[in-house]
Amino acid sequence: MNNTTDFNYFNTQLVHEVGSSVGPIAPTITPSAAYGYVDAEEAEGIFAAEVNKPLYARVGNPTNAKLEGIVAKFEGGLGAIATSSGMGAISMVCTAFLKSGDEILCIGGFFGGTYSLVNETLARFGVSNTFCEVDDFEHIENALKRGVKMVIFESVGNPSLTLPDVQGIIDLCNSYETVVMIDNTATPLLLRPLTMGADIVVHSSTKNMSGHSAALGGVAVFRAVKEDGDKLLNEKYADVHKIVKKMGKKAFIAICKKRAIRDFGMTANAFGSFMTMIGLETLSLRVERVNQNVEVISEILDEKLPEGISVNHPSLASSPDYTRYKADFAQGCGPLISIDCGTKERAFKFLNALELVILTANIGDNRTLALHMTSTIYSDFNEEARKFLGVHEGLIRVSIGLEDPKTIAEDFLQAVNAL
Ligand SMILES: *Cc1c(COP(=O)(O)O)cnc(C)c1O
């Protein structure tokens, strides 16, 4: 699999894409909600997408456009749309492509918000769903045969840490001409699904992309539509054929703008996009460091944690995903590890004894974070859903940051004394 990330290449690309070489070096914030048109003819051209100028901030602004260009480039896509949050990006894509009567296939473990979007909200609007385990290719193929409209999965299960056969799933979706969207939040730069044949990649830029926890945001990135014989011309997607024929290779972007952004308004704001770019400048450096830290900390904890408390990460030989990790995620699978304390009571004691690690619901921060799962994000979920998502009573999710890995490992090891 073509998955080796040249961190030096991306360091160079990102600092120069974010910064300009003439005039203001930092990105410019354009906060205006509205934009004056030169004349009536220009207004007509802008609305027809024939003149490339800002129309109104709900459908885009110049600061977002700069961020979109940078993310599209490093993901290997044609273009992108910046959104108000990661959930904004996912709901934009879902509402742009799905309608009442359609079915969506969800593979593997999911972030809580995505799970309830599909299972409750989209269901309320008449979109049915089917979920399956990450390696259940029989279920996947049956759903594709039945004509599911969209397939979604996460590059790494959060918090289950299951690793999918990304290339295998993409290839199967392509053979059935079905749109496939991958949530790449945990693995920017480490995995580039558009270069592997995926249609859409989404990120919560709140997480690893920013790193600083100073901006909520999301982004969806799209491949170019093929001028002839694209899967979007399949009969399944008849309701967007008009846009595909008019917009050609940019059709994915037009579909999301016209069928979701314009009508739901999950648009990014200029200041948020500026802050996201400040994070992006150092993304490659941080991804390399965090993923090294994850392996070091996992190894120390695996060796030193006593009976009754254990660490799980695919880089450990004891993990069921170890082989796939080595083959497909050789430079890391993102900031998450999990710690199993056995019971909720022990998990609470352990968390309360941490001195440096921060208790919060975020991931991908520059600081190491931890959270008990069943009492927080998954408190609304029943036993069956928790089991499917790999969440159990003693489970703590940890997101590793940029600190000295030995210092962080020591914080976890001293907290064991409280048990
Ligand atoms: C956080 C997260 C989201 C949602 O992103 P927000 O920016 O919080 O809306 C979606 N997917 C994954 C994998 C996440 O971790």
Side-chain angles (χ1 to χ4, degrees):
M1 195 161 108
N2 170 29
N3 68 343
T4 314
T5 303
D6 181 347
F7 292 112
N8 278 329
Y9 170 81
F10 286 110
N11 273 326
T12 310
Q13 185 191 70
L14 285 167
V15 291
H16 285 281
E17 289 279 331
V18 174
S20 300
S21 55
V22 289
I25 287 180
T28 314
I29 306 175
T30 308
S32 188
Y35 301 84
Y37 315 127
V38 170
D39 50 29
E41 285 74 16
E42 184 182 83
E44 185 180 32
I46 291 171
F47 273 75
E50 282 153 11
V51 176
N52 189 17
K53 282 192 174 180
L55 185 153
Y56 177 72
R58 179 160 26 81
V59 290
N61 74 56
T63 312
N64 291 357
K66 180 164 171 107
L67 168 63
E68 289 160 352
I70 297 166
V71 179
K73 202 159 173 182
F74 81 66
E75 278 287 7
L78 174 79
I81 299 176
T83 54
S84 52
S85 73
M87 285 318 302
I90 297 169
S91 50
M92 170 185 74
V93 172
C94 289
T95 49
F97 280 92
L98 300 170
K99 64 178 188 325
S100 174
D102 285 341
E103 183 180 1
I104 181 170
L105 167 66
C106 307
I107 304 169
F110 279 91
F111 171 73
T114 310
Y115 185 79
S116 47
L117 169 72
V118 169
N119 215 33
E120 293 170 25
T121 306
L122 291 179
R124 201 146 44 75
F125 287 91
V127 175
S128 64
N129 60 68
T130 174
F131 282 78
C132 73
E133 299 288 348
V134 93
D135 280 323
D136 191 350
F137 274 82
E138 200 184 317
H139 185 113
I140 298 172
E141 189 149 15
N142 283 338
L144 288 166
K145 272 187 194 147
R146 206 165 51 232
V148 293
K149 192 85 166 277
M150 185 186 287
V151 176
I152 64 174
F153 64 102
E154 296 185 359
S155 60
V156 179
N158 164 11
S160 66
L161 288 168
T162 48
L163 300 178
D165 172 3
V166 177
Q167 190 68 66
I169 297 171
I170 290 173
D171 290 348
L172 197 54
C173 291
N174 283 336
S175 71
Y176 284 90
E177 300 199 321
T178 304
V179 168
V180 55
M181 169 173 87
I182 296 167
D183 183 337
N184 203 23
T185 298
T187 45
L189 304 180
L190 294 165
L191 189 77
R192 297 168 73 230
L194 295 178
T195 67
M196 300 162 75
D199 302 298
I200 304 169
V201 162
V202 288
H203 284 273
S204 164
S205 61
T206 319
K207 317 288 174 57
N208 306 264
M209 267 196 197
S210 289
H212 43 48
S213 278
L216 187 74
V219 58
V221 200
F222 310 92
R223 68 169 174 86
V225 170
K226 296 183 202 95
E227 306 280 5
D228 49 81
D230 195 275
K231 67 166 78 161
L232 285 185
L233 294 169
N234 185 299
E235 206 36 52
K236 260 193 304 220
Y237 304 107
D239 55 336
V240 298
H241 285 179
K242 219 170 108 192
I243 303 178
V244 175
K245 281 175 190 146
K246 177 163 182 231
M247 299 305 292
K249 61 182 200 251
K250 290 186 182 168
F252 273 107
I253 299 159
I255 290 166
C256 287
K257 288 224 168 170
K258 279 190 185 296
R259 290 166 58 101
I261 284 278
R262 185 187 63 193
D263 301 349
F264 291 103
M266 61 283 273
T267 320
N269 70 79
F271 185 70
S273 294
F274 167 78
M275 288 307 296
T276 304
M277 285 189 273
I278 297 303
L280 275 187
E281 223 169 51
T282 54
L283 178 67
S284 185
L285 208 57
R286 291 183 291 104
V287 166
E288 186 177 17
R289 166 69 184 225
V290 163
N291 284 274
Q292 287 166 356
N293 281 0
V294 162
E295 291 199 9
V296 173
I297 292 167
S298 300
E299 213 173 299
I300 298 175
L301 295 183
D302 193 42
E303 195 182 306
K304 298 201 169 154
L305 283 175
E307 257 328 87
I309 174 166
S310 60
V311 59
N312 174 33
H313 188 265
S315 65
L316 298 169
S318 57
S319 162
D321 284 315
Y322 178 73
T323 310
R324 189 165 284 164
Y325 181 82
K326 287 290 175 193
D328 296 352
F329 295 84
Q331 290 158 298
C333 63
L336 300 183
I337 66 172
S338 68
I339 295 178
D340 185 2
C341 297
T343 65
K344 175 182 171 188
E345 189 198 358
R346 281 163 59 82
F348 272 35
K349 277 190 188 157
F350 181 76
L351 283 172
N352 290 341
L354 291 168
E355 285 167 3
L356 205 54
V357 174
I358 298 169
L359 268 55
T360 182
N362 197 14
I363 63 166
D365 193 287
N366 295 336
R367 292 142 286 257
T368 297
L369 317 172
L371 191 69
H372 179 246
M373 293 285 96
T374 55
S375 61
T376 60
I377 298 176
Y378 296 94
S379 56
D380 272 356
F381 293 51
N382 64 27
E383 202 46 49
E384 192 194 345
R386 285 179 183 175
K387 191 153 177 261
F388 173 74
L389 297 169
V391 176
H392 46 87
E393 280 295 330
L395 191 74
I396 291 171
R397 181 184 73 189
V398 174
S399 175
I400 299 296
L402 296 176
E403 306 97 327
D404 169 27
K406 293 206 175 70
T407 305
I408 293 299
E410 273 162 26
D411 194 23
F412 286 120
L413 291 173
Q414 67 76 27
V416 170
N417 297 327
L419 295 181

